[in-house]
Amino acid sequence: MNEQKQKIIYAVEKIRETMCGLAHEIHRDPELSFNEYRAAQRLQAPLAAAGFTLIQPLAGLETAFCARFDTGHPGPRLILLAEYDALPELGHACGHNLIGTASVAAALALVNSGTFTRGSLEVMGTPAEEEGGGKIIMADAGLFASADAVMMFHPREKNMMTRGALACVDAVFKFYGKAAHAASAPHLGISALDGVIQTFVGINALRQFFTDDVRVHGIITHGGSATNIVPAYAEAKFLLRASTVGALESVRQKVFSAASAAAAMSGARLEIEQGLTYAERNNNLALAGLFQRNIEQLGLSADAAPQRGGVGSSDIGNVSQITAAIHPYLRIGDVVPHTPEFAAAADSTAGHEAMLNAAKALAMTVIDLLDPASLQRVRDEFTAWKNGEAQ
């Protein structure tokens, strides 16, 4: 290990207690998508104290921010992504308290150690990964267009350097019927709930015709107000996923047709609201290789990612369509995301150790990218992918 990377490790260890405390504070005070005001401020505070220039809001998002350190010397523009939104009811059951803090710790280590000597380094605070797609909004605003590389880490049950992610979009189906007394005059009513139920039936009938990569899952968010009233309004929310944005469009058309047919059958009027489309992930293998060599220098080993199944979606997929990006995973325990057990692990000793190792490896990878040859390999791979050439 070279001297610069040894300095990085030392610099992270010096702020160990502060960073573990920061991750704990965010964990105990969860905030939902687009409302992460306190988490964003907590992440910005140590960066401002270290001399980073802060910009907030970004792309019209009040809880998005950019903390920038410019060396004043020519070099790459490198971005560390911070996530910090929580899940309804479960809190930080996806470990975003660790994600945001790891990027902040990596940036502080690079600046405090004096090892970041060329180009610019940014911690980009990206709200609403769980619901809303903050990175999509920021990407559409051009915030990543000139970046040479973008990195983050995610806690998981394995150490995985690359992993696929499905394209995804959410849709809300709103059915409007007509209220009536369910016992004395049901014939005068139109059940909006029947529209919702038939939508589920129609989607289930489609499942045997979906390819293996497709996932469609939903909940009824409003089904009526009383059992003796024909529901005048009912609502269901679905997530639609497929391997690519192109494949997702076919799924979307079929599911929307099922909802429209359900409206016709029930007599209810249908309105559909769509969210932003999360793109599939493009893993930059050259960049992932640098990160892997760094975690191995820290005494960790990489596990093989599952070849099929077991993947969700993330708005970093949209960023990875614009520039070279990685989203590696580090183990925090035998836990599955979006569960109470994962939430507990995200505030455990094992969770904090994974966060600190991620901070070290991210900062060490930034050092690697200051080498023109290493950066060129990363950029060449992204250019080849963008041009449709085989990797």
Side-chain angles (χ1 to χ4, degrees):
M1 186 183 299
N2 65 35
E3 183 181 355
Q4 287 181 311
K5 292 185 179 181
Q6 289 174 341
K7 288 181 177 179
I8 290 294
I9 293 172
Y10 178 71
V12 172
E13 287 299 323
K14 281 191 69 174
I15 57 174
R16 164 184 285 269
E17 296 304 320
T18 301
M19 292 297 101
C20 290
L22 175 58
H24 171 72
E25 286 295 306
I26 295 173
H27 185 278
R28 73 173 183 84
D29 186 21
E31 297 166 288
L32 301 183
S33 295
F34 296 123
N35 291 284
E36 319 93 327
Y37 295 97
R38 295 181 297 278
Q41 290 300 317
R42 287 180 171 124
L43 292 170
Q44 290 175 64
L47 295 168
F52 283 73
T53 300
L54 292 175
I55 304 171
Q56 187 185 25
L58 291 177
L61 303 177
E62 292 185 356
T63 55
F65 69 87
C66 177
R68 192 168 192 265
F69 182 84
D70 195 332
T71 64
H73 300 288
R77 179 189 173 208
L78 305 174
I79 298 177
L80 301 172
L81 297 179
E83 294 177 359
Y84 33 89
D85 60 319
L87 289 157
E89 300 182 7
L90 292 174
H92 280 287
C94 207
H96 291 191
N97 62 308
L98 302 178
I99 295 172
T101 307
S103 289
V104 168
L108 292 173
L110 285 159
V111 172
N112 292 342
S113 65
T115 55
F116 188 76
T117 56
R118 297 193 306 108
S120 64
L121 175 68
E122 297 171 28
V123 176
M124 195 79 80
T126 62
E129 187 275 337
E130 294 293 353
E131 184 173 7
K135 295 184 195 65
I136 303 172
I137 297 169
M138 297 167 76
D140 289 345
L143 296 182
F144 303 105
S146 64
D148 290 288
V150 173
M151 296 181 285
M152 62 176 287
F153 111 99
H154 200 293
R156 193 73 199 202
E157 81 284 359
K158 290 182 179 181
N159 298 327
M160 296 179 288
M161 302 302 99
T162 61
R163 194 162 181 258
L166 300 172
C168 175
V169 69
D170 66 89
V172 179
F173 299 127
K174 299 182 175 183
F175 288 86
Y176 298 86
K178 183 180 178 182
H181 195 290
S184 64
H187 58 286
L188 299 179
I190 297 173
S191 175
L193 180 59
D194 281 348
V196 166
I197 292 172
Q198 291 305 317
T199 296
F200 276 86
V201 172
I203 291 171
N204 286 337
L206 290 171
R207 293 189 188 280
Q208 66 172 312
F209 305 106
F210 288 145
T211 53
D212 291 343
D213 58 296
V214 173
R215 300 287 186 272
V216 180
H217 37 101
I219 59 171
I220 297 175
T221 51
H222 188 81
S225 54
T227 56
N228 60 351
I229 302 173
V230 174
Y233 177 75
E235 178 183 295
K237 185 171 185 178
F238 282 84
L239 275 173
L240 288 56
R241 307 183 199 252
S243 58
T244 66
V245 170
L248 180 63
E249 182 56 33
S250 174
V251 175
R252 185 193 331 236
Q253 291 177 9
K254 292 177 180 178
V255 169
F256 285 13
S257 293
S260 296
M265 290 171 62
S266 64
R269 178 174 61 86
L270 170 65
E271 290 182 0
I272 301 176
E273 292 183 358
Q274 299 182 60
L276 299 175
T277 298
Y278 287 50
E280 67 273 18
R281 188 179 306 163
N282 169 39
N283 293 297
N284 188 281
L285 301 182
L287 187 53
L290 295 175
F291 185 89
Q292 179 172 341
R293 284 191 286 276
N294 287 318
I295 70 155
E296 289 170 348
Q297 291 188 67
L298 295 172
L300 304 176
S301 59
D303 301 312
Q307 295 301 304
R308 298 182 63 186
V311 294
S313 308
S314 173
D315 53 5
I316 195 176
N318 300 69
V319 180
S320 73
Q321 310 292 312
I322 296 170
T323 190
I326 56 169
H327 183 281
Y329 299 81
L330 292 186
R331 172 181 167 81
I332 65 170
D334 293 321
V335 287
V336 179
H338 293 209
T339 62
E341 294 77 15
F342 197 97
D347 195 33
S348 67
T349 299
H352 291 166
E353 286 301 321
M355 174 194 73
L356 293 169
N357 281 324
K360 294 171 185 176
L362 288 168
M364 292 160 72
T365 304
V366 167
I367 294 299
D368 290 329
L369 293 174
L370 296 183
D371 169 51
S374 295
L375 179 63
Q376 192 61 53
R377 285 191 291 272
V378 169
R379 295 304 308 167
D380 286 347
E381 179 183 325
F382 178 77
T383 300
W385 173 84
K386 200 69 174 176
N387 293 337
E389 301 170 14
Q391 295 183 9

